[in-house]
Structures are given as C-alpha cells and as structure tokens.
Amino acid sequence: MGNFLPGQYERDRFSKINHNYLGEQFSDYSTIFGKIEKLILKGDYTLGDEVNLFEQRFAQLENVRFAIGVGSGTDALFLSLKALGVSQGDEVITTPYTFFATIGAIVTAGAKPVFVDIGEDYNIDVNKIEAAITKKTKAILPVHWSGRLCHMKKIKEIASKYNLFVVEDAAHAIMAKYGDDYAGHYSDTACFSMHPLKNLNVWGDGGVIVTNNEDLKARLSLMRNHGLLNRDECAIFSYNSRLDTLQAIVANHLLEKIKHITDSRISNAHFFDAELSKIPQIKIPPRDPLQKEVFHIYVIQAKNRDGLKKFLIEKGIDAKIHYPIPMHLQPAAKEFGYKRGDFPVCEHVCDNVISLPVHEFITREQQNYVVKAVQEFYKL
Ligand SMILES: *Cc1c(COP(=O)(O)O)cnc(C)c1O
C-alpha cells in the first residue's frame, strides 16, 4: 500500500479552517529552491554541511549538547532503543495513548511494550509506572502528548532507582519546557519528528535525536550511517538512516521561524482555552503554569464528541480525533493480551477527545467562528 489517505490533502483544502497549512508554510519555497540549487552545484548529497549546521542549531534550541539527524521520528526512537541495547526479551514501559510509531519502534527493536495508564493531562501517569516494572524492564519511553512534557524529573528518579534507560518520544514537543528544562534534560535521548504535519516540518521524512551523553552520540552517529568509521572501515554493522541533506536545508530554513510558529500556537491555544472553558460540555485538560506547552495539536474533551465533530466539519472546520483507538486495543497489540477496561483513563480520553486547528495561520476571526460553532452545537 502506498499513501493510505489518497486525496486527503486535496480534500482538506475544501475546509475553511484546516489542520493542514503546508501551502502557507512553504509559500516562500523559492528561497528554499535557491538553497537546494547551491547544494546541487556542490554535489554534497549525504550528511555534509547542511546536516552539521542543523544538528548544531537544533542542539542549541533544545539546550542539549548533541543532536543527531536521522531518517524519521520513528527511526529516532528505534535507533535510540537499539543504541541502548534494547532487544529480544526486554520490556519497555510506555503509554497506550500515542501514535503507532512509538509502539512500532519498541516492537521492531525486539522488545515488548508494557502499557501504563495516562492521567488527566493525557501523559503517562508517573504514579503508576513502578507497579509495571519487572525483571525484564529495560527502559521507560514517555510520550509528550500534544507538546506538553511529562513529569521527567519523577520519571528519571524511578529510572535511576531501577537502573532503567529513558527515551523520550518528543515528536510533538519541539521547544516545549517544564520549568527551565527542555526534552532531553532528564533522559538518555529525546526523539523528534519533522514529518510534514509536525511543528518543525520538512518536505518528506526527517527526525532528530538529542542527548547529553557523548558516548551515545558517537554510537548513534555510527548507527545511522552503516557503522562507518571512514570510507573503508566499519565499527558496527548497522542501518542507513541519515537525515536527508535536502531535508536538512528545509529544516534549517524553518528553524528561523520555529519561535514564531511555537508562540502563535501557544497564543491560539490560550485563546481557545479562555473561550471554550465557558462551555460546560467542553473539558479542557488541567494547565500547569510550569509547563510551556507547544500545542502540536489542541486536544480537548467534548460531550457527544462524534456529533460535535460532524457538525464542525459541516461548518468547514477540520476537527479531528487524535486518536480514537488506544494502542492496547489495536489489532496489532493482540499478542500482548490486553483488553478493554485495562486503562480506563486512556479509554475514556480516546472516546471523548477532539482536536481543533491552532497552527500559526489561523486568525482570531477564524477562532471566533470555531467558538461560535461549538456554542451553536450545544444550543448555547
Ligand atoms: C509523528 C510521530 C512519531 C513518528 O514520527 P515520524 O517522523 O512520522 O516517523 C512518533 N511518535 C509520535 C507521538 C508522533 O506523533
């Protein structure tokens, strides 16, 4: 199967208020073409200056020592687990409320995902992690859902107590902070995606791993590039998952705008929070003033969610569900033996969440239109 959502982007364009904004995002594509032209004249197609520059700038942005550009967010997770020695027979603790790639990375690394329920903030409930640890547990893999960081300090304490690794799925969390700390501060690695729909997006696939550990940085740099020490010598037989140099050009271009992208999303989300919190049928997750949430998606819970979604779509508002089926209830998870009722908070959230567009190209006028539509649906 190729693109399993054929015509999705085309259809989305007919909404007045969209989740997809790639046309606007890259309206200055001719500037990027100019940079690509320079690359073509140079012939520097794999790794090279653009990737190095991106890695330096990304590490700086996330306030960590090292960044390693890789082929995708999924590869970032998979390579991190592999670099830490996760393999057959190991267990990795994670959340059932995530995108498939989190679990895909654990399973393809050879390990078994062990789920822990989430809290009202949609992130893994740190108070339930210890009960899930067994002799086989090798790592904890928290996901910063929607761009809100998990309680990493607490997770790190648990990991240290039981001698476990920590890999963060920070696909949603570029520039997110808890207090002064970005993703990557309390973990072995944090993994970011630059998929076209993420906050920092490229023209296809791209990912980046950050770490403060110099040995891990060296190992990951080898692992993404066949394990090559130089042209003729290989240190470890490994994978090919480099960040594409063309994509590094796009990423470097957008890095200049990431502060603006992030600030607009935060401002739009705060506007929705203020307006939608007046509607009794809407439940906004608790906001923690210590958190700098970056709102990769704006997720709230709504009474008669499916009815609201249908109504909003009729009004030209591209409401989405991220996601209706938790990981432990997926057909692919059958072999792990979970059942409905195992993670009640997560299951309730999946039955009730709805996402509204908050990207940087939404105007206040459009946001007011969304708020009015929600009020209209509930006959307020
Ligand atoms: C997008 C995403 C990934 C995977 O990233 P890709 O770059 O698409 O491979 C992993 N985890 C989460 C939570 C994501 O949303």
Side-chain angles (χ1 to χ4, degrees):
M1 218 178 337
N3 183 353
F4 53 90
L5 295 172
Q8 178 72 40
Y9 290 156
E10 197 52 45
R11 271 200 306 283
D12 281 354
R13 293 224 312 258
F14 291 109
S15 295
K16 276 188 245 177
I17 301 175
N18 243 310
H19 264 101
N20 179 4
Y21 51 94
L22 294 174
E24 294 102 318
Q25 179 84 310
F26 294 114
S27 59
D28 60 347
Y29 62 87
S30 56
T31 317
I32 305 177
F33 281 1
K35 293 177 188 175
I36 290 176
E37 193 175 1
K38 278 195 195 134
L39 180 84
I40 290 168
L41 294 173
K42 230 166 118 188
D44 194 11
Y45 290 122
T46 55
L47 298 177
D49 293 342
E50 285 288 343
V51 174
N52 291 339
L53 177 66
F54 172 73
E55 290 173 340
Q56 276 165 25
R57 292 169 70 192
F58 196 84
Q60 216 164 37
L61 185 76
E62 289 291 321
N63 198 26
V64 285
R65 290 179 68 199
F66 309 108
I68 305 104
V70 294
S72 69
T74 308
D75 280 2
L77 292 164
F78 170 80
L79 291 171
S80 292
L81 293 171
K82 279 299 183 194
L84 293 165
V86 169
S87 65
Q88 212 74 39
D90 292 333
E91 292 178 357
V92 175
I93 290 175
T94 192
T95 167
Y97 184 49
T98 184
F99 179 65
F100 311 103
T102 316
I103 315 307
I106 294 171
V107 172
T108 54
K112 179 185 163 193
V114 171
F115 297 114
V116 166
D117 207 356
I118 58 172
E120 286 302 319
D121 63 355
Y122 309 146
N123 281 338
I124 193 167
D125 185 340
V126 290
N127 296 314
K128 293 181 179 156
I129 291 176
E130 274 193 87
I133 294 173
T134 72
K135 282 205 283 285
K136 294 179 177 171
T137 309
K138 187 94 178 212
I140 307 173
L141 202 169
V143 178
H144 306 307
W145 193 249
S146 77
R148 172 194 180 111
L149 297 189
C150 298
H151 291 282
M152 289 311 301
K153 199 170 169 190
K154 185 76 208 287
I155 290 172
K156 178 66 190 166
E157 277 166 22
I158 297 167
S160 300
K161 185 170 159 192
Y162 294 90
N163 206 13
L164 306 175
F165 296 117
V166 181
V167 172
E168 296 171 72
D169 184 334
H172 296 186
I174 285 179
M175 291 198 79
K177 275 203 285 190
Y178 189 96
D180 291 329
D181 305 322
Y182 290 90
H185 186 79
Y186 288 109
S187 60
D188 294 285
T189 71
C191 303
F192 298 84
S193 163
M194 295 186 285
H195 177 276
L197 294 179
K198 299 292 156 71
N199 287 16
L200 178 72
N201 43 25
V202 295
W203 289 351
D205 285 304
V208 49
I209 305 170
V210 301
T211 182
N212 282 313
N213 180 325
E214 196 160 3
D215 291 339
L216 257 184
K217 186 256 176 189
R219 194 169 171 78
L220 286 163
S221 302
L222 283 172
M223 283 177 72
R224 70 160 174 197
N225 191 28
H226 309 292
L228 290 182
L229 292 166
N230 53 53
R231 182 183 179 278
D232 300 322
E233 286 176 293
C234 180
I236 38 169
F237 293 115
S238 187
Y239 308 89
N240 173 2
S241 181
R242 299 176 288 248
L243 172 62
D244 197 284
T245 311
L246 285 179
Q247 305 299 357
I249 290 176
V250 182
N252 276 325
H253 180 79
L254 260 201
L255 265 184
E256 285 160 27
K257 305 181 186 183
I258 190 65
K259 282 201 173 70
H260 167 74
I261 290 171
T262 307
D263 290 345
S264 320
R265 284 175 174 274
I266 292 171
S267 156
N268 292 343
H270 288 173
F271 181 82
F272 271 152
D273 273 4
E275 294 305 314
L276 297 174
S277 61
K278 297 173 193 159
I279 299 176
Q281 291 88 344
I282 297 290
K283 187 174 165 193
I284 290 166
R287 304 288 185 210
D288 177 346
L290 280 173
Q291 291 270 7
K292 181 186 174 193
E293 295 185 52
V294 297
F295 299 99
H296 165 58
I297 39 180
Y298 181 80
V299 187
I300 53 180
Q301 294 180 61
K303 219 170 174 172
N304 185 6
R305 186 264 315 264
D306 294 334
L308 176 63
K309 181 182 175 226
K310 189 164 169 275
F311 183 79
L312 293 179
I313 286 173
E314 279 162 12
K315 291 252 158 198
I317 300 161
D318 182 26
K320 284 193 171 1
I321 313 295
H322 297 95
Y323 287 95
I325 306 170
M327 290 303 121
H328 66 288
L329 300 179
Q330 291 291 338
K334 228 179 183 137
E335 58 174 307
F336 306 121
Y338 292 102
K339 59 182 186 314
R340 183 163 276 281
D342 284 343
F343 306 109
V345 183
C346 171
E347 291 165 20
H348 181 83
V349 161
C350 289
D351 288 341
N352 290 277
V353 280
I354 185 162
S355 311
L356 303 173
V358 287
H359 58 76
E360 72 266 36
F361 299 103
I362 300 283
T363 63
R364 278 288 182 271
E365 198 185 344
Q366 290 178 314
Q367 286 197 284
N368 274 315
Y369 175 82
V370 175
V371 172
K372 283 219 174 63
V374 177
Q375 287 167 341
E376 197 184 328
F377 176 71
Y378 293 117
K379 308 203 180 339
L380 297 172

